Each structure stands twice: as structure tokens, then as C-alpha cells.
Amino acid sequence: DTRRISISQGRTFYRGTVSGGLDASTHLNLGTPASIRDAVREALHQTGGRRFMLGSDRPVPVTAPLSNLRTVREVVESAVI
């Protein structure tokens, strides 16, 4: 099923930690560092930063720009825990 639900909707079905926030194609392969930061901000907003693990919907394409992968790492490393 290719139907997607938001992270906040997923949390209503599952009480544990949810993973997501990034689309491998839209954000990681074709996006920009700014669009990645925006997607992460939105995911954190939807979850309140609780029971959330940043991830993508499928494996990262080998063609994803290094700058986008570095941005994901920077966002994760700068997160306040």
C-alpha cells in the first residue's frame, strides 16, 4: 500500500516510538538542506519531540547529494536530548 499517513496519525495507532519525517526521494535525493531542516522541524512539531526517531520512508538513494546527508547528520547531532 503506497498510502502514507502523517507521523501524528501514526502515533494514534502505535504507542511506541515512531520513525519517519524524511522522504528518500523528495528530501534526501532531490531536496535541499533547507527542505530537510523544514521536514525535520515539521516532524518534531507533530511529535513534540517525544517517541520519535528521524528516518526516511525507504533506503537512501546512492545519488543523494552529500550535502543533504551531512544536513541530516547535523540536525541529529544538534538535537537537544
Side-chain angles (χ1 to χ4, degrees):
D1 188 358
T2 59
R3 186 180 74 148
R4 295 185 186 191
I5 61 172
S6 69
I7 293 172
S8 59
Q9 290 171 317
R11 288 179 58 160
T12 64
F13 299 116
Y14 183 67
R15 295 181 59 137
T17 299
V18 294
S19 176
L22 296 172
D23 181 281
S25 179
T26 304
H27 298 118
L28 300 176
N29 195 36
L30 302 174
T32 63
S35 69
I36 291 169
R37 284 189 210 86
D38 290 344
V40 172
R41 266 191 227 102
E42 178 59 27
L44 289 171
H45 174 75
Q46 288 185 38
T47 62
R50 298 182 53 113
R51 296 182 4 232
F52 171 67
M53 180 174 54
L54 182 64
S56 68
D57 59 336
R58 58 187 176 274
V60 177
V62 296
T63 55
L66 184 57
S67 60
N68 288 353
L69 302 179
R70 284 186 176 145
T71 298
V72 173
R73 181 177 176 162
E74 288 169 7
V75 168
V76 170
E77 288 178 342
S78 69
V80 177
I81 300 173

Coordinates of all heavy atoms in Angstrom, one line a residue:
D1 N 0.9 -1.2 0.0 CA 0.0 0.0 0.0 C 0.9 1.2 0.0 O 1.8 1.4 0.9 CB -0.9 0.0 1.2 CG -2.0 1.1 1.2 OD1 -2.0 1.9 0.3 OD2 -2.8 1.1 2.1
T2 N 0.7 2.1 -1.0 CA 1.5 3.3 -1.0 C 0.9 4.5 -0.3 O 1.4 5.6 -0.4 CB 1.7 3.7 -2.5 OG1 0.5 3.9 -3.1 CG2 2.5 2.6 -3.2
R3 N -0.2 4.3 0.3 CA -0.9 5.4 1.1 C 0.0 5.7 2.3 O 0.5 4.9 3.0 CB -2.2 4.9 1.6 CG -3.0 6.0 2.2 CD -4.3 5.4 2.7 NE -4.1 4.6 3.8 CZ -5.0 4.4 4.8 NH1 -6.1 5.0 4.7 NH2 -4.7 3.6 5.8
R4 N 0.2 7.0 2.5 CA 1.0 7.5 3.6 C 0.2 8.2 4.6 O -0.8 8.9 4.3 CB 2.1 8.4 3.1 CG 3.1 7.7 2.2 CD 4.2 8.6 1.8 NE 5.0 7.8 0.8 CZ 6.1 8.2 0.4 NH1 6.6 9.3 0.8 NH2 6.8 7.6 -0.5
I5 N 0.6 8.1 5.8 CA -0.1 8.8 6.9 C 1.0 9.7 7.6 O 2.2 9.5 7.5 CB -0.7 7.9 7.9 CG1 0.3 7.0 8.6 CG2 -1.8 7.1 7.3 CD1 -0.2 6.2 9.8
S6 N 0.5 10.8 8.2 CA 1.4 11.7 8.9 C 2.0 11.0 10.2 O 1.4 10.0 10.7 CB 0.7 12.9 9.3 OG -0.2 12.7 10.3
I7 N 3.0 11.5 10.7 CA 3.6 11.0 11.9 C 2.6 11.1 13.1 O 2.4 10.1 13.9 CB 4.9 11.7 12.3 CG1 6.0 11.3 11.2 CG2 5.4 11.3 13.7 CD1 7.2 12.1 11.3
S8 N 1.9 12.2 13.2 CA 0.9 12.3 14.2 C -0.2 11.3 14.1 O -0.7 10.8 15.1 CB 0.4 13.8 14.3 OG -0.2 14.1 13.1
Q9 N -0.6 11.0 12.9 CA -1.6 10.0 12.7 C -1.1 8.6 13.1 O -1.8 7.8 13.8 CB -2.1 9.9 11.3 CG -2.9 11.1 10.8 CD -3.1 11.1 9.3 OE1 -2.2 10.8 8.5 NE2 -4.3 11.4 8.9
G10 N 0.1 8.3 12.8 CA 0.8 7.1 13.1 C 0.8 6.9 14.6 O 0.7 5.7 15.1
R11 N 1.1 7.9 15.3 CA 1.1 7.8 16.8 C -0.2 7.4 17.4 O -0.2 6.9 18.5 CB 1.6 9.1 17.4 CG 3.1 9.4 17.1 CD 3.5 10.7 17.6 NE 3.3 10.7 19.1 CZ 3.9 11.5 19.9 NH1 4.8 12.3 19.5 NH2 3.6 11.5 21.2
T12 N -1.3 7.7 16.7 CA -2.6 7.3 17.3 C -2.8 5.8 17.1 O -3.6 5.2 17.9 CB -3.8 8.0 16.6 OG1 -3.8 7.6 15.2 CG2 -3.6 9.5 16.7
F13 N -2.1 5.1 16.2 CA -2.2 3.7 16.0 C -1.1 2.9 16.8 O -1.3 1.7 17.0 CB -2.0 3.3 14.6 CG -3.0 3.9 13.7 CD1 -2.7 4.9 12.7 CD2 -4.4 3.6 13.8 CE1 -3.6 5.4 11.9 CE2 -5.3 4.2 13.0 CZ -5.0 5.1 12.0
Y14 N 0.0 3.6 17.2 CA 1.1 2.9 17.8 C 1.6 3.6 19.0 O 1.8 4.8 18.9 CB 2.2 2.7 16.8 CG 3.4 1.9 17.3 CD1 3.3 0.6 17.5 CD2 4.6 2.5 17.4 CE1 4.3 -0.2 18.0 CE2 5.7 1.8 17.9 CZ 5.5 0.5 18.2 OH 6.6 -0.2 18.6
R15 N 1.7 3.0 20.1 CA 2.1 3.7 21.4 C 3.6 3.8 21.6 O 4.1 4.5 22.4 CB 1.5 3.0 22.5 CG 0.0 3.0 22.5 CD -0.6 2.3 23.7 NE -0.1 3.0 24.9 CZ -0.8 3.2 26.0 NH1 -2.0 2.9 26.0 NH2 -0.2 3.8 27.0
G16 N 4.4 3.1 20.8 CA 5.8 3.1 20.9 C 6.4 4.3 20.1 O 5.8 5.2 19.7
T17 N 7.7 4.2 19.9 CA 8.4 5.2 19.1 C 8.1 5.1 17.6 O 8.1 4.0 17.1 CB 10.0 5.0 19.3 OG1 10.3 5.2 20.7 CG2 10.8 6.0 18.5
V18 N 7.8 6.2 17.0 CA 7.6 6.2 15.6 C 8.8 6.8 14.8 O 9.6 7.5 15.4 CB 6.3 7.1 15.2 CG1 5.1 6.5 15.8 CG2 6.5 8.5 15.7
S19 N 9.0 6.3 13.6 CA 10.1 6.7 12.8 C 9.6 7.3 11.5 O 8.6 6.9 10.9 CB 11.0 5.5 12.5 OG 12.1 5.9 11.6
G20 N 10.3 8.4 11.0 CA 9.9 9.0 9.8 C 10.4 10.4 9.7 O 11.3 10.8 10.4
G21 N 9.6 11.2 8.9 CA 9.9 12.6 8.8 C 10.6 13.0 7.5 O 10.5 14.1 7.0
L22 N 11.3 12.0 6.9 CA 12.0 12.3 5.6 C 11.6 11.4 4.5 O 11.4 10.2 4.7 CB 13.5 12.2 5.8 CG 14.2 13.2 6.8 CD1 15.6 12.8 7.0 CD2 14.0 14.6 6.3
D23 N 11.4 11.9 3.3 CA 11.1 11.1 2.1 C 12.4 11.0 1.4 O 13.1 12.0 1.1 CB 10.1 11.9 1.3 CG 9.7 11.1 0.0 OD1 10.5 11.1 -0.9 OD2 8.7 10.5 0.0
A24 N 12.8 9.7 1.1 CA 14.1 9.5 0.5 C 14.3 10.2 -0.8 O 15.4 10.7 -1.2 CB 14.3 8.0 0.3
S25 N 13.2 10.3 -1.6 CA 13.3 10.9 -2.9 C 13.2 12.4 -2.8 O 14.0 13.2 -3.2 CB 12.2 10.4 -3.9 OG 12.3 11.0 -5.1
T26 N 12.0 12.9 -2.2 CA 11.7 14.3 -2.1 C 12.8 15.1 -1.3 O 13.2 16.2 -1.8 CB 10.4 14.5 -1.5 OG1 9.4 13.8 -2.3 CG2 10.0 16.0 -1.5
H27 N 13.2 14.6 -0.2 CA 14.1 15.3 0.7 C 15.5 15.0 0.5 O 16.3 15.8 0.2 CB 13.7 15.1 2.2 CG 12.3 15.6 2.5 ND1 11.4 14.7 3.0 CD2 11.8 16.8 2.5 CE1 10.3 15.4 3.2 NE2 10.5 16.7 2.9
L28 N 15.8 13.7 0.6 CA 17.2 13.3 0.6 C 17.9 13.3 -0.8 O 19.0 13.7 -1.0 CB 17.4 11.9 1.2 CG 16.9 11.8 2.6 CD1 17.0 10.4 3.2 CD2 17.7 12.8 3.5
N29 N 17.2 12.9 -1.8 CA 17.8 12.8 -3.2 C 17.6 14.1 -3.9 O 18.5 14.6 -4.5 CB 17.2 11.7 -4.0 CG 18.0 11.3 -5.2 OD1 19.2 11.4 -5.2 ND2 17.3 11.0 -6.3
L30 N 16.4 14.7 -3.9 CA 16.1 15.9 -4.8 C 16.0 17.2 -4.0 O 15.9 18.3 -4.6 CB 14.8 15.7 -5.5 CG 14.8 14.4 -6.5 CD1 13.4 14.2 -7.1 CD2 15.9 14.5 -7.5
G31 N 16.0 17.1 -2.6 CA 15.8 18.3 -1.8 C 17.0 19.1 -1.6 O 18.0 18.9 -2.2
T32 N 16.9 20.0 -0.7 CA 18.0 20.9 -0.3 C 18.2 20.8 1.2 O 17.3 20.4 1.9 CB 17.6 22.4 -0.7 OG1 16.5 22.8 0.1 CG2 17.3 22.5 -2.2
P33 N 19.3 21.3 1.7 CA 19.4 21.3 3.1 C 18.3 22.1 3.8 O 17.8 21.6 4.9 CB 20.8 22.0 3.3 CG 21.6 21.6 2.1 CD 20.5 21.6 1.0
A34 N 17.8 23.1 3.2 CA 16.7 23.9 3.9 C 15.4 23.0 3.9 O 14.7 23.1 4.9 CB 16.5 25.2 3.1
S35 N 15.1 22.3 2.8 CA 13.9 21.5 2.8 C 14.0 20.3 3.8 O 13.0 19.9 4.4 CB 13.6 21.0 1.4 OG 14.6 20.0 1.0
I36 N 15.2 19.9 4.0 CA 15.4 18.8 5.0 C 15.2 19.4 6.4 O 14.5 18.8 7.2 CB 16.8 18.2 4.9 CG1 16.9 17.4 3.6 CG2 17.2 17.3 6.1 CD1 18.3 17.0 3.2
R37 N 15.8 20.5 6.7 CA 15.6 21.1 8.0 C 14.1 21.4 8.3 O 13.6 21.2 9.4 CB 16.4 22.4 8.1 CG 17.8 22.2 8.4 CD 18.5 23.5 8.7 NE 19.9 23.5 8.3 CZ 20.3 23.8 7.0 NH1 19.5 24.2 6.1 NH2 21.6 23.7 6.7
D38 N 13.4 21.9 7.2 CA 11.9 22.1 7.4 C 11.2 20.8 7.7 O 10.3 20.8 8.5 CB 11.4 22.8 6.1 CG 11.8 24.2 5.9 OD1 12.3 24.8 6.8 OD2 11.7 24.7 4.7
A39 N 11.5 19.8 7.0 CA 10.8 18.5 7.2 C 11.1 18.0 8.6 O 10.2 17.5 9.3 CB 11.3 17.5 6.2
V40 N 12.3 18.1 9.1 CA 12.6 17.7 10.5 C 11.8 18.6 11.5 O 11.3 18.0 12.4 CB 14.1 17.7 10.7 CG1 14.4 17.5 12.2 CG2 14.8 16.7 9.9
R41 N 11.8 19.9 11.3 CA 11.0 20.8 12.1 C 9.6 20.3 12.2 O 8.9 20.3 13.3 CB 11.1 22.2 11.7 CG 12.2 23.0 12.3 CD 12.1 24.5 12.0 NE 13.4 24.9 11.7 CZ 13.9 25.1 10.4 NH1 13.1 25.0 9.4 NH2 15.1 25.5 10.2
E42 N 9.0 20.0 11.0 CA 7.6 19.6 11.0 C 7.4 18.3 11.7 O 6.4 18.1 12.5 CB 7.1 19.5 9.5 CG 5.7 19.0 9.4 CD 4.7 19.9 10.0 OE1 4.9 21.1 10.2 OE2 3.6 19.3 10.4
A43 N 8.3 17.3 11.6 CA 8.2 16.1 12.3 C 8.3 16.3 13.8 O 7.5 15.7 14.5 CB 9.3 15.1 11.8
L44 N 9.2 17.1 14.2 CA 9.3 17.4 15.6 C 8.1 18.1 16.2 O 7.6 17.9 17.3 CB 10.6 18.2 15.9 CG 11.9 17.5 15.7 CD1 13.0 18.5 15.8 CD2 12.0 16.4 16.8
H45 N 7.5 19.0 15.3 CA 6.2 19.7 15.7 C 5.1 18.6 15.9 O 4.4 18.7 16.9 CB 5.9 20.7 14.7 CG 4.6 21.3 14.9 ND1 4.4 22.3 15.9 CD2 3.4 21.2 14.3 CE1 3.1 22.6 15.9 NE2 2.5 22.0 15.0
Q46 N 5.0 17.7 15.0 CA 3.9 16.7 15.0 C 4.1 15.8 16.2 O 3.1 15.2 16.8 CB 3.9 15.9 13.8 CG 3.4 16.6 12.6 CD 3.3 15.7 11.4 OE1 2.9 14.5 11.5 NE2 3.6 16.2 10.2
T47 N 5.3 15.5 16.7 CA 5.5 14.6 17.8 C 5.9 15.3 19.1 O 5.9 14.6 20.1 CB 6.7 13.7 17.4 OG1 7.9 14.4 17.3 CG2 6.5 12.9 16.2
G48 N 6.1 16.5 19.1 CA 6.6 17.2 20.3 C 7.9 16.7 20.7 O 8.4 16.9 21.8
G49 N 8.6 16.1 19.8 CA 10.0 15.6 20.0 C 10.0 14.3 20.9 O 11.0 13.9 21.4
R50 N 8.8 13.7 21.1 CA 8.7 12.6 22.0 C 8.4 11.3 21.2 O 7.6 11.4 20.3 CB 7.6 12.8 23.1 CG 8.0 14.0 24.0 CD 6.9 14.2 25.0 NE 6.8 12.9 25.7 CZ 7.1 12.7 27.0 NH1 7.6 13.7 27.7 NH2 6.9 11.5 27.5
R51 N 8.9 10.2 21.6 CA 8.7 8.9 21.0 C 8.9 9.1 19.4 O 8.1 8.6 18.6 CB 7.3 8.4 21.3 CG 7.1 8.1 22.7 CD 5.7 7.5 23.0 NE 4.8 7.3 21.9 CZ 3.6 7.8 21.8 NH1 3.1 8.5 22.8 NH2 2.8 7.5 20.8
F52 N 10.0 9.7 19.1 CA 10.2 10.0 17.6 C 11.7 9.7 17.3 O 12.6 10.0 18.0 CB 10.0 11.4 17.3 CG 10.4 11.8 15.9 CD1 9.8 11.3 14.8 CD2 11.4 12.8 15.8 CE1 10.2 11.7 13.5 CE2 11.8 13.1 14.5 CZ 11.2 12.6 13.4
M53 N 11.9 9.0 16.2 CA 13.2 8.7 15.6 C 13.2 9.1 14.2 O 12.4 8.7 13.4 CB 13.5 7.2 15.7 CG 14.8 6.8 15.2 SD 15.3 5.0 15.4 CE 13.9 4.2 14.7
L54 N 14.1 10.0 13.8 CA 14.2 10.6 12.5 C 14.6 9.4 11.5 O 15.5 8.7 11.8 CB 15.2 11.7 12.4 CG 15.4 12.4 11.1 CD1 14.1 13.0 10.6 CD2 16.5 13.3 11.1
G55 N 13.9 9.3 10.4 CA 14.2 8.3 9.4 C 13.5 8.6 8.1 O 12.8 9.6 8.0
S56 N 13.8 7.8 7.1 CA 13.2 8.0 5.8 C 12.3 6.9 5.5 O 12.3 5.8 6.1 CB 14.3 8.2 4.7 OG 14.9 7.0 4.5
D57 N 11.5 7.1 4.5 CA 10.5 6.1 4.1 C 11.0 4.9 3.4 O 10.4 3.8 3.3 CB 9.4 6.7 3.2 CG 9.9 7.3 2.0 OD1 11.1 7.7 1.9 OD2 9.2 7.5 1.0
R58 N 12.2 4.9 2.9 CA 12.9 3.8 2.3 C 14.4 4.1 2.2 O 14.8 5.1 2.7 CB 12.3 3.6 0.9 CG 12.5 4.8 -0.1 CD 11.7 4.5 -1.4 NE 11.7 5.6 -2.2 CZ 10.8 6.7 -2.2 NH1 9.9 6.6 -1.3 NH2 10.9 7.7 -3.0
P59 N 15.2 3.1 1.8 CA 16.7 3.4 1.8 C 17.0 4.6 1.0 O 16.4 5.0 0.0 CB 17.2 2.1 1.0 CG 16.2 1.1 1.3 CD 14.9 1.8 1.3
V60 N 18.1 5.2 1.4 CA 18.6 6.5 0.8 C 19.2 6.1 -0.5 O 20.0 5.3 -0.6 CB 19.6 7.2 1.7 CG1 20.2 8.4 1.0 CG2 19.0 7.5 3.1
P61 N 18.8 6.9 -1.6 CA 19.4 6.6 -2.9 C 20.9 6.9 -2.9 O 21.3 7.9 -2.3 CB 18.6 7.6 -3.9 CG 17.4 8.0 -3.1 CD 17.7 7.9 -1.7
V62 N 21.6 6.1 -3.7 CA 23.1 6.4 -3.7 C 23.4 7.7 -4.4 O 24.5 8.2 -4.3 CB 23.8 5.2 -4.5 CG1 23.7 3.9 -3.7 CG2 23.3 5.0 -5.9
T63 N 22.4 8.2 -5.1 CA 22.6 9.5 -5.8 C 22.3 10.7 -4.9 O 22.4 11.9 -5.4 CB 21.7 9.6 -7.1 OG1 20.3 9.3 -6.7 CG2 22.1 8.6 -8.1
A64 N 21.9 10.5 -3.7 CA 21.6 11.6 -2.8 C 22.9 12.5 -2.6 O 24.0 11.9 -2.3 CB 21.1 11.1 -1.4
P65 N 22.7 13.8 -2.7 CA 23.9 14.7 -2.5 C 24.5 14.6 -1.1 O 23.8 14.5 -0.1 CB 23.3 16.1 -2.8 CG 22.1 15.9 -3.5 CD 21.5 14.5 -3.1
L66 N 25.8 14.6 -1.0 CA 26.5 14.5 0.2 C 26.0 15.7 1.2 O 25.9 15.5 2.4 CB 28.0 14.5 0.0 CG 28.9 14.4 1.3 CD1 28.5 13.1 2.0 CD2 30.3 14.4 0.9
S67 N 25.8 16.8 0.6 CA 25.3 18.0 1.4 C 24.0 17.7 2.1 O 23.8 18.1 3.3 CB 25.2 19.2 0.5 OG 24.2 19.0 -0.5
N68 N 23.1 16.9 1.5 CA 21.9 16.6 2.1 C 22.1 15.6 3.3 O 21.5 15.7 4.3 CB 20.9 16.0 1.1 CG 20.3 17.1 0.2 OD1 20.6 18.2 0.4 ND2 19.6 16.7 -0.8
L69 N 23.0 14.6 3.0 CA 23.3 13.6 4.1 C 24.0 14.3 5.3 O 23.7 14.0 6.4 CB 24.1 12.5 3.5 CG 23.5 11.7 2.3 CD1 24.5 10.7 1.8 CD2 22.2 11.1 2.7
R70 N 24.8 15.2 5.0 CA 25.5 16.0 6.1 C 24.5 16.8 6.9 O 24.6 16.9 8.1 CB 26.6 16.9 5.5 CG 27.8 16.1 5.1 CD 28.9 17.1 4.7 NE 30.1 16.3 4.4 CZ 31.0 16.6 3.4 NH1 30.8 17.7 2.7 NH2 32.1 15.9 3.3
T71 N 23.5 17.4 6.2 CA 22.5 18.1 6.9 C 21.7 17.3 7.8 O 21.5 17.7 9.0 CB 21.5 18.8 5.8 OG1 22.3 19.7 5.0 CG2 20.4 19.6 6.5
V72 N 21.4 16.1 7.4 CA 20.6 15.2 8.3 C 21.5 14.9 9.5 O 21.0 15.0 10.7 CB 20.3 13.8 7.6 CG1 19.7 12.8 8.6 CG2 19.3 14.1 6.5
R73 N 22.8 14.6 9.3 CA 23.7 14.4 10.5 C 23.7 15.6 11.4 O 23.7 15.4 12.6 CB 25.0 14.0 10.0 CG 26.0 13.7 11.1 CD 27.3 13.2 10.6 NE 28.2 13.0 11.8 CZ 29.3 12.3 11.7 NH1 29.6 11.7 10.6 NH2 30.0 12.2 12.8
E74 N 23.9 16.8 10.8 CA 24.0 18.0 11.6 C 22.7 18.2 12.4 O 22.8 18.6 13.6 CB 24.2 19.2 10.7 CG 25.6 19.2 10.1 CD 25.7 20.3 9.0 OE1 24.8 21.1 8.8 OE2 26.8 20.3 8.4
V75 N 21.5 17.9 11.8 CA 20.3 18.1 12.5 C 20.2 17.2 13.7 O 19.8 17.6 14.8 CB 19.1 17.9 11.6 CG1 17.8 17.8 12.3 CG2 19.0 19.0 10.5
V76 N 20.6 15.9 13.5 CA 20.5 14.9 14.6 C 21.5 15.3 15.7 O 21.2 15.2 16.9 CB 20.8 13.5 14.0 CG1 21.0 12.5 15.1 CG2 19.6 13.1 13.1
E77 N 22.7 15.6 15.3 CA 23.7 15.9 16.3 C 23.4 17.2 17.1 O 23.8 17.3 18.2 CB 25.1 16.1 15.6 CG 25.7 14.7 15.2 CD 27.0 14.9 14.5 OE1 27.4 16.0 14.1 OE2 27.7 13.8 14.3
S78 N 22.7 18.1 16.5 CA 22.4 19.4 17.2 C 21.1 19.3 18.0 O 20.7 20.2 18.8 CB 22.2 20.5 16.2 OG 21.1 20.3 15.4
A79 N 20.4 18.1 18.0 CA 19.2 17.9 18.7 C 19.5 17.9 20.2 O 20.4 17.3 20.7 CB 18.5 16.6 18.3
V80 N 18.6 18.6 21.0 CA 18.7 18.7 22.4 C 18.0 17.5 23.0 O 16.8 17.3 22.7 CB 18.2 20.0 23.0 CG1 18.2 20.0 24.5 CG2 18.9 21.1 22.4
I81 N 18.6 16.7 23.7 CA 18.0 15.5 24.3 C 17.8 15.6 25.8 O 18.6 16.1 26.5 CB 18.9 14.2 24.0 CG1 19.0 14.0 22.5 CG2 18.3 13.0 24.6 CD1 19.9 13.0 22.1

